[in-house]
Amino acid sequence: MKLTKKNSIFYVFGAFLILLIILQFTVSTSQALTVHLNEALEGPSFKHLLGTDDYGRDLFARLVIGARYTLAITLLTICMIVLIGVPLGLIAGYRKGWIDTIIMRIIDIGLGIPDFVLMIAFASFFKPSIWNLVIAITIINWMTYTRVTRAIVNTEMNKNYIKLARYFHTPGYIIIFKHLLPQVVPSLIVLMIVDIGKIILYISSLSFLGLGAQPPSPEWGAMLAAGRDFFTEHPIMLLAPAALISITILLFNLAGDALRDKIAERRDIHG
C-alpha cells in the first residue's frame, strides 16, 4: 500500500491507541492512588518515570490510568449522545411535520448559545461529579448529531429508491433502518472520531474548573488543576497531563479529518 499523508495519520493514530492499551498492563490503580507523603514532589527516576505529585503518587501511573478513565468516560458520553441524537434526526427527517418543527426549533435555540457556556451552567447546577458532567455534555451535544442525521435523511428522501419504497408501502421502520441509517453511518463515524477529541477537551476543561472529576481521580483535567499550584517548583505535574491532552485531541482530530477525506474520495469515485 502506498504510504500517503492520510495513511501515515492512521498509522500514528493506531500506534498511539495501541501504546495506551499496552501501558495499561504496566501500572496498577494502587500506584496511581496510594499516597506516599515521604515521596512527595520527587523528580523523574527509575522508580517513578515522571516523578511524583504532591501526595507522592506516581505521575506516570496516574497519566496511564487517567487515559483509561478519560477515554472510557468520553466513549460513554459519545454513546449517550448518539443514542439520543441519531434517532431524533431519523424521525425528524423521515416524518417531517410538527415533529420535525419542534425538534428543529429546540436545536436552533440550543445551538444559538455557546455550548461551553451551557455546559458550565448545567454542570454548575448539579453537584460537581464526572457523571453530572457527562449528563451536561450529552444534553448539549445531541443536537449536532440530530441536525447532521436529519440533513442526510432529507437528501435521501428525495431519491428514487426511497420514493419507490414508500410507493409500495414499505414499513417505515424498514426504510429507516435498512435504507436511511446506512447512509448516515459514515458521516456519523467521522463526527464521532472528531468529537472524541472535543469531548476530552470539555471533560478536562470542566474538571480543571472543579465542575467534573474530583480528587483523587487521575482524570487529566483534574491533574492539571492539581499541578497548577506547583508549576514553578514541579512543572511536570502540569506539563505532563497538558501534553497528553493536547496530543490525544490532535490525533483524534487529524484521524477524523483524514477519514472524512477518504470517505469523500470514495463517494466521488463511485458517483
Side-chain angles (χ1 to χ4, degrees):
M1 180 184 293
K2 183 179 179 181
L3 186 62
T4 63
K5 182 180 179 180
K6 293 186 185 67
N7 289 334
S8 299
I9 291 172
F10 290 133
Y11 292 146
V12 173
F13 177 69
F16 177 73
L17 292 181
I18 291 171
L19 178 62
L20 283 181
I21 293 172
I22 293 173
L23 289 176
Q24 299 300 318
F25 298 98
T26 66
V27 297
S28 64
T29 304
S30 62
Q31 287 178 276
L33 297 178
T34 303
V35 173
H36 301 282
L37 293 178
N38 59 320
E39 299 179 358
L41 300 179
E42 288 188 357
S45 64
F46 286 111
K47 183 178 179 181
H48 304 291
L49 295 180
L50 294 178
T52 61
D53 65 4
D54 52 318
Y55 287 95
R57 297 171 298 200
D58 188 283
L59 274 177
F60 178 76
R62 287 180 65 76
L63 284 174
V64 173
I65 298 298
R68 179 197 309 172
Y69 188 82
T70 300
L71 291 175
I73 293 299
T74 300
L75 291 175
L76 174 63
T77 306
I78 282 283
C79 290
M80 291 176 62
I81 291 170
V82 170
L83 289 175
I84 295 173
V86 174
L88 287 176
L90 290 169
I91 293 170
Y94 181 76
R95 299 290 297 178
K96 301 189 183 301
W98 63 270
I99 295 178
D100 182 35
T101 301
I102 292 174
I103 292 174
M104 292 313 297
R105 292 299 76 79
I106 293 173
I107 290 175
D108 290 340
I109 294 171
L111 294 180
I113 306 173
D115 52 1
F116 197 71
V117 173
L118 277 177
M119 275 184 282
I120 290 177
F122 278 115
S124 302
F125 183 76
F126 301 104
K127 180 181 178 181
S129 75
I130 195 66
W131 300 114
N132 289 334
L133 182 57
V134 168
I135 294 171
I137 294 174
T138 302
I139 289 173
I140 304 304
N141 282 272
W142 68 266
M143 294 178 281
T144 301
Y145 286 77
T146 299
R147 188 171 64 172
V148 169
T149 302
R150 175 184 175 273
I152 296 172
V153 170
N154 280 341
T155 301
E156 296 299 316
M157 291 295 291
N158 294 321
K159 294 184 177 180
N160 290 332
Y161 76 100
I162 296 295
K163 291 180 179 179
L164 281 171
R166 301 190 75 178
Y167 178 79
F168 287 108
H169 303 290
T170 304
Y173 71 91
I174 292 180
I175 294 176
I176 289 174
F177 290 105
K178 186 175 180 180
H179 299 298
L180 296 177
L181 185 57
Q183 302 302 320
V184 174
V185 168
S187 297
L188 285 179
I189 292 174
V190 174
L191 185 59
M192 288 169 65
I193 292 175
V194 173
D195 267 6
I196 286 176
K198 186 195 299 184
I199 291 172
I200 289 174
L201 179 60
Y202 287 153
I203 292 173
S204 299
S205 300
L206 293 173
S207 294
F208 178 79
L209 296 174
L211 299 175
Q214 301 297 306
S217 168
E219 194 278 324
W220 292 340
M223 291 181 66
L224 274 178
R228 176 178 51 187
D229 297 332
F230 299 92
F231 180 66
T232 53
E233 57 182 301
H234 202 57
I236 197 167
M237 274 186 67
L238 182 69
L239 296 178
L244 196 52
I245 290 170
S246 301
I247 292 170
T248 304
I249 293 172
L250 176 63
L251 287 177
F252 272 104
N253 287 342
L254 290 175
D257 290 341
L259 182 59
R260 180 175 55 204
D261 293 342
K262 274 189 170 292
I263 291 174
E265 288 173 3
R266 289 188 178 183
R267 284 178 175 172
D268 291 340
I269 292 172
H270 295 290

